């Protein structure tokens, strides 16, 4: 282990990246992006071993890639709430569900909501809100839900907030299961719309269909990149600094003029909106939404992604999402052992790397300084 | 001495008006009544547990007085939220240092400068609106961007970020922490952390700066240096309220002194008067102060 980490340190990717000239960074980003775009078609051995559909019964590779990217979107949003603002949100799946259900309720011609609208206003049979209009609706509902949940609870600290948010996640799931007149209850909602696109001239299939999974993957990838870009902007601004200050010492931040409540609410609302976007993509890809897809353990999975990767660091959170989604799919053969391996892995990370696999730059620097200090002390003797 | 006379003629900046503050049965402040005038350095002294820090907490909105009022610049501030009070112009440091440990020294101070900034979430997200004009020093280096900014102005986010960084670096230089601006606050030596707290408080552009035992744990030379810094702060036009245990130091730097004991004010006046006050002598007698 120490040799590996020494080797890793001597490569010092982060430092090199930060000091590299702009054109180098642009070329490297371009190459990485090209690889990411090419991934669904990867068929060159030995690299193709990363595919999940080599053995019979393996999951569809494009499908797995799409799920990974959707969970990366989730991690990006949850990292704002947990990593930056320091709010332990255990009910994030609630917002994910709200995204999926908003799309289903307004966009599907089979949902009770569109039926009600059609009856009420005498609209034609099979009327529904177009996908593109559902996106802002979903975001608005999620923002509102974030504010409604956050406004009374963000005055709580630490564990209390965790419990209340966990309750919120459960409430959303239970409503979706029991409010038959609104959500069709356990039967779920079918015919969830997919994004618009040119129809296939031969088969008449829509552009985003279950067979051409790579299109979904590309769409989600584009959304992920857009969201990362936006969240980065927040991180390196007055808003991001306020979040960090609140996470570090809320009372001192208040005395320095940071309105804790306002910025925590923003973090919550932004996290909610990003989670809803992920849920919306998920629901649209499934074309079917039902309550069991939003169980509480998904919330824990989401939190685990952010914490394993390195709380507060976006690259870490993305990497955590990747590991937690990809590894179980790739090693399906061990599926009986999955919960066990997952638990062991979590405990190991907490013991060996409490700062996460790719720690936040600040944390990394601090640990490095501590090592140097220790060496100084050692050489002093 | 002329200093003292001048400040005595100054306007009142902060009034603590018969403030009582109880924690259950403990009376931390008992009918405390004093004021601070613009441009002076007021010392607040008293034995351990006298209620000095509690007085700061009441002034900065951390606690709400049980009875009485605190007025700043003519406005009532007792009971208002800490960040409102900061916006009005009171800043403070903490007795037990409370920096943001995982942020760099520069970022710590920038949190302070942010108190006067207005960039919102939308402004930081889209960086287009509102647009403002900035001086040449703050324009982008890149020629194309520079020309663009000269015609259309820059986004407020950009302008505030540049100005914040410039002001923050200036303050770090002022307190003498600039050489370690990019180090994490928690890794700075103790003396740097104390001074960094002062810089962070000053970044909020206060009218009144409250320092809670800024020299605690310093050796005599460092204390002397710090007192010099406090005088320089006053010369910048700030009013300073200073809590300090070391009587000799307080005598040297303050224009006026208020003495608390067991939550009650026992003396108030110019240093030479206070030093001769029998109650003050009694309060400090038998209690060796930590001049070490
Ligand atoms: N939050 C609180 N709850 C209960 N009692 C408190 C609280 N804060 C302060 N006190 C009490 O109020 C009294 C005044 O405390 P304070 O910290 O203001 O003293 P101080 O003058 O700053 O002393 P020191 O020189 O030790 O810093 C003490 O008796 C303390 O125990
Ligand atoms: Mg105190």
């Amino acid at each position: 282990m120490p040799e590996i980490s020494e080797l890793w340190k001597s490569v010092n990717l982060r430092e090199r990246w930060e000091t590299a000239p702009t054109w180098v960074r642009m070329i490297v980003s371009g190459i990485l992006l090209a690889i990411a775009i090419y991934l669904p078609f990867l068929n060159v051995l030995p690299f193709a071993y990363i595919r999940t559909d080599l053995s019979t019964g393996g999951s569809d590779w494009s499908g797995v890639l799409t799920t990974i990217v959707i969970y990366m979107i989730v991690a990006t949003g949850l990292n704002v709430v947990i990593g930056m603002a320091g709010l332990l949100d255990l009910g994030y799946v609630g917002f994910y569900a709200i995204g999926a259900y908003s799309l289903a309720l307004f966009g599907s011609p089979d949902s009770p909501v569109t039926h009600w609208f059609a009856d009420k206003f005498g609209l034609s049979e099979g009327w529904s809100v177009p996908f593109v209009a559902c996106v802002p609706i979903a975001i608005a509902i999620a923002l509102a839900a974030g504010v409604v949940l956050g406004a009374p609870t963000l005055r709580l600290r630490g564990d209390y907030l965790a419990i209340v948010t966990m309750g919120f996640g459960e409430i959303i799931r239970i409503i979706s299961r029991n409010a038959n007149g609104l959500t069709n209850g356990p039967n779920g909602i079918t015919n969830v719309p997919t994004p618009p696109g040119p129809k296939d001239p031969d088969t008449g299939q829509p552009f985003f269909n279950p067979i051409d999974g790579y299109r979904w993957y590309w769409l989600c990838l584009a959304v992920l990149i857009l969201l990362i870009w936006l969240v980065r902007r927040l991180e390196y601004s007055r808003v991001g600094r306020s979040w960090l200050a609140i996470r570090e010492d809320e009372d001192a931040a208040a005395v320095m003029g940071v309105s804790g409540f306002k910025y925590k609410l923003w973090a919550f609302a932004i996290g909610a909106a990003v989670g809803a976007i992920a849920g919306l993509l998920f629901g649209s890809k499934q074309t079917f939404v039902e309550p069991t897809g939003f169980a509480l353990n998904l919330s824990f999975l989401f939190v685990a992604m952010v914490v394993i990767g390195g709380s507060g660091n976006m690259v870490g959170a993305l990497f955590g999402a990747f590991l937690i989604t990809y590894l179980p799919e790739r090693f399906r053969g061990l599926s009986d052992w999955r919960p066990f391996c997952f638990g062991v892995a979590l405990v190991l990370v907490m013991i060996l790397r409490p700062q996460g696999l790719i720690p936040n730059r600040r944390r990394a620097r601090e640990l490095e300084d501590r090592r140097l200090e220790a060496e100084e002390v050692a050489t002093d003797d | 001495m002329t200093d003292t006379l001048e400040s005595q003629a100054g306007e009142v900046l902060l009034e603590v008006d018969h403030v009582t503050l109880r924690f259950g049965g403990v009376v931390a402040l008992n009918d405390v009544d004093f004021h601070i005038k613009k441009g002076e350095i007021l010392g607040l002294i008293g034995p351990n547990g006298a209620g000095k820090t509690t007085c700061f907490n009441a002034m900065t909105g951390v606690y709400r007085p049980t009875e009485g009022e605190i007025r700043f610049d003519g406005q009532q501030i007792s009971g208002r939220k800490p960040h409102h009070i900061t916006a009005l112009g009171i800043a403070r440091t903490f007795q037990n240092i409370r920096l943001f440990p995982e942020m760099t020294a520069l970022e710590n101070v920038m949190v302070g400068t942010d108190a006067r900034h207005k960039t919102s979430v939308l402004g930081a997200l889209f960086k287009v609106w509102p647009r403002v004009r900035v001086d040449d020093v703050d324009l982008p280096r890149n020629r194309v961007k520079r020309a663009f900014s000269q015609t259309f102005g820059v986004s407020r986010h950009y302008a505030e970020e540049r100005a914040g960084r410039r002001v923050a670096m200036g303050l770090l230089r002022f307190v003498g922490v600039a050489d370690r601006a990019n180090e994490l606050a928690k890794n700075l030596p103790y003396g740097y952390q104390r001074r960094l707290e002062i810089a962070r408080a000053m970044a909020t552009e206060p009218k009144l700066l409250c320092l809670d035992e800024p020299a605690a744990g310093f050796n005599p030379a460092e204390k002397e240096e710090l007192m010099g810094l406090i005088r320089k702060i006053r010369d910048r036009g700030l009013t300073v309220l200073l809590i300090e245990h070391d009587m000799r130091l307080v005598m040297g730097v303050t224009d006026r002194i208020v003495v608390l004991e067991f939550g009650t004010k026992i003396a108030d006046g110019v240093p030479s008067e206070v030093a001769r006050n029998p109650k003050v002598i009694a309060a400090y007698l038998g209690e060796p102060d930590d001049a070490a």
Side-chain angles (χ1 to χ4, degrees):
Chain A
M1 266 315 262
E3 297 80 38
I4 297 173
S5 64
E6 276 311 308
L7 197 69
W8 177 243
K9 229 169 252 155
S10 66
V11 178
N12 209 346
L13 272 183
R14 199 195 307 254
E15 187 78 29
R16 286 194 187 186
W17 177 254
E18 275 168 9
T19 51
T22 321
W23 64 270
V24 173
R25 288 206 239 178
M26 278 168 83
I27 290 177
V28 173
S29 312
I31 293 173
L32 287 179
L33 182 65
I35 293 175
I37 291 173
Y38 171 69
L39 266 184
F41 308 110
L42 183 68
N43 231 337
V44 201
L45 287 175
F47 303 110
Y49 278 118
I50 64 167
R51 289 182 74 114
T52 52
D53 52 1
L54 292 180
S55 56
T56 46
S59 327
D60 169 47
W61 176 226
S62 298
V64 170
L65 286 176
T66 311
T67 312
I68 290 174
V69 176
I70 289 178
Y71 283 180
M72 282 179 162
I73 296 176
V74 167
T76 307
L78 194 55
N79 187 44
V80 171
V81 184
I82 296 184
M84 297 185 201
L87 305 165
L88 185 50
D89 182 351
L90 289 183
Y92 202 61
V93 73
F95 300 116
Y96 187 69
I98 285 177
Y101 264 101
S102 305
L103 177 68
L105 290 178
F106 289 95
S108 159
D110 296 348
S111 91
V113 171
T114 48
H115 282 183
W116 183 84
F117 272 107
D119 285 349
K120 184 93 177 168
F121 302 107
L123 302 163
S124 64
E125 189 70 16
W127 172 87
S128 67
V129 181
F131 180 89
V132 180
C134 287
V135 176
I137 293 178
I139 293 176
I141 294 179
L143 282 174
V147 172
V148 167
L149 170 64
T153 56
L154 284 176
R155 296 168 206 283
L156 301 172
R157 293 200 179 180
D159 330 355
Y160 298 104
L161 182 68
I163 292 168
V164 175
T165 51
M166 195 161 94
F168 167 78
E170 271 300 86
I171 289 172
I172 296 292
R173 186 183 66 81
I174 291 168
I175 290 178
S176 66
R177 193 171 179 285
N178 295 337
N180 280 306
L182 179 69
T183 63
N184 275 349
N187 297 330
I189 299 170
T190 51
N191 256 328
V192 178
T194 55
K199 275 206 163 66
D200 193 313
D202 303 328
T203 57
Q205 284 269 11
F207 187 73
F208 289 100
N209 59 54
I211 295 159
D212 297 314
Y214 65 91
R215 292 178 183 165
W216 286 103
Y217 166 66
W218 285 349
L219 174 73
C220 296
L221 193 63
V223 173
L224 173 68
I225 291 170
L226 176 73
L227 289 175
I228 289 177
W229 183 65
L230 289 174
V231 170
R232 273 268 127 117
R233 292 189 142 198
L234 287 181
E235 191 180 353
Y236 294 102
S237 74
R238 176 175 183 241
V239 180
R241 272 193 301 274
S242 301
W243 284 336
L244 287 189
I246 291 168
R247 184 189 74 188
E248 299 288 280
D249 186 335
E250 195 175 340
D251 300 319
V255 171
M256 288 307 129
V258 178
S259 162
F261 183 67
K262 177 174 137 193
Y263 283 102
K264 286 200 278 184
L265 200 56
W266 266 117
F268 229 65
I270 289 166
V274 175
I277 292 172
L280 179 144
L281 289 168
F282 165 78
S284 176
K285 177 172 178 275
Q286 303 281 310
T287 67
F288 175 60
V289 170
E290 47 118 19
T292 51
F294 308 105
L296 188 62
N297 57 10
L298 206 52
S299 270
F300 298 141
L301 200 71
F302 292 163
V303 174
M305 295 194 273
V306 174
V307 174
I308 282 191
S311 192
N313 175 20
M314 186 132 39
V315 179
L318 294 175
F319 186 61
F322 166 78
L323 281 187
I324 285 187
T325 335
Y326 171 74
L327 290 183
E329 289 293 351
R330 178 65 185 81
F331 303 104
R332 282 237 148 197
L334 304 171
S335 64
D336 290 346
W337 290 88
R338 265 159 76 178
F340 176 75
C341 296
F342 189 58
V344 170
L346 256 181
V347 172
L348 282 182
V349 167
M350 285 300 122
I351 293 172
L352 297 176
R353 277 185 87 83
Q355 73 280 36
L357 293 178
I358 309 181
N360 170 331
R361 174 164 44 106
R362 307 161 201 285
R363 297 243 166 96
R365 220 176 332 168
E366 162 212 343
L367 292 169
E368 178 66 11
D369 287 344
R370 225 183 264 166
R371 190 180 63 87
L372 291 179
E373 256 169 47
E375 273 172 18
E376 264 168 38
V377 171
T379 48
D380 276 353
D381 295 338
Chain B
M1 211 55 215
T2 47
D3 240 302
T4 318
L5 291 174
E6 257 167 37
S7 64
Q8 272 177 344
E11 291 169 64
V12 172
L13 183 63
L14 180 113
E15 267 178 281
V16 176
D17 185 1
H18 296 281
V19 166
T20 298
L21 203 151
R22 291 191 205 95
F23 296 107
V26 181
V27 185
L29 295 176
N30 182 13
D31 201 30
V32 173
D33 186 77
F34 67 93
H35 61 268
I36 306 171
K37 289 180 213 147
K38 275 199 182 124
E40 75 179 341
I41 301 180
L42 181 76
L44 183 60
I45 64 171
N48 287 105
K52 306 180 293 292
T53 301
T54 306
C55 189
F56 267 32
N57 283 335
M59 283 163 46
T60 50
V62 179
Y63 298 140
R64 171 194 275 273
T66 320
E67 280 161 43
E69 266 189 13
I70 302 174
R71 279 183 300 276
F72 180 71
D73 243 359
Q75 289 188 57
Q76 152 140 11
I77 55 167
S78 37
R80 299 185 69 171
K81 289 256 160 55
H83 64 269
H84 289 309
I85 295 175
T86 307
L88 287 175
I90 301 184
R92 69 173 286 186
T93 64
F94 296 88
Q95 183 171 359
N96 46 345
I97 302 172
R98 290 179 75 170
L99 290 162
F100 306 121
E102 305 241 342
M103 298 172 84
T104 64
L106 182 66
E107 285 172 322
N108 265 277
V109 183
M110 283 182 81
V111 172
T113 61
D114 283 338
R116 297 284 164 205
H117 289 169
K118 295 198 172 59
T119 298
S120 62
V121 169
L122 292 182
L125 262 185
F126 301 111
K127 297 189 187 172
V128 271
W129 202 257
R131 298 199 82 79
V132 294
R133 301 264 156 202
V134 290
D135 296 340
D136 274 1
V137 280
D138 282 343
L139 284 172
R141 293 262 165 66
N142 181 305
R143 292 244 294 287
V144 180
K145 287 185 187 166
R146 200 178 176 94
F148 180 85
S149 310
Q150 273 164 340
T151 349
F152 299 106
V154 297
S155 70
R156 185 166 66 192
H157 163 82
Y158 178 85
E160 290 186 344
E161 208 69 6
R162 282 295 283 259
R165 189 166 289 261
R166 191 159 36 76
V167 171
M169 273 316 287
L171 282 170
L172 286 178
R173 246 174 265 128
F174 178 71
V175 299
V177 182
D179 55 322
R180 304 179 89 157
N182 289 316
E183 262 178 66
L184 291 190
K186 67 188 303 179
N187 294 340
L188 293 174
Y190 180 79
Y192 272 66
Q193 294 194 2
R194 282 255 173 241
R195 280 177 288 152
L196 177 57
E197 263 214 325
I198 297 178
R200 183 180 67 171
M202 287 175 71
T204 64
E205 294 173 24
K207 293 177 192 151
L208 173 66
L209 180 64
C210 306
L211 305 172
D212 197 344
E213 301 200 23
F218 278 12
N219 64 36
E222 287 170 325
K223 282 189 180 179
E224 207 47 59
E225 208 179 311
L226 187 83
M227 293 305 145
L229 181 67
I230 292 174
R231 282 194 204 95
K232 277 204 298 185
I233 293 173
R234 194 258 308 271
D235 295 342
R236 282 185 149 207
L238 271 71
T239 307
V240 179
L241 175 58
L242 172 70
I243 293 183
E244 180 50 57
H245 262 298
D246 189 334
M247 279 292 270
R248 204 174 46 81
L249 269 173
V250 185
M251 296 293 161
V253 73
T254 52
D255 299 318
R256 232 160 29 93
I257 295 180
V258 170
V259 190
L260 291 181
E261 190 192 18
F262 299 124
T264 313
K265 186 176 94 172
I266 56 170
D268 182 348
V270 296
S272 50
E273 259 171 46
V274 168
R276 274 183 272 112
N277 188 319
K279 278 198 211 158
V280 178
I281 294 168
Y284 272 88
L285 210 65
E287 199 197 82
D289 68 43
D290 56 351

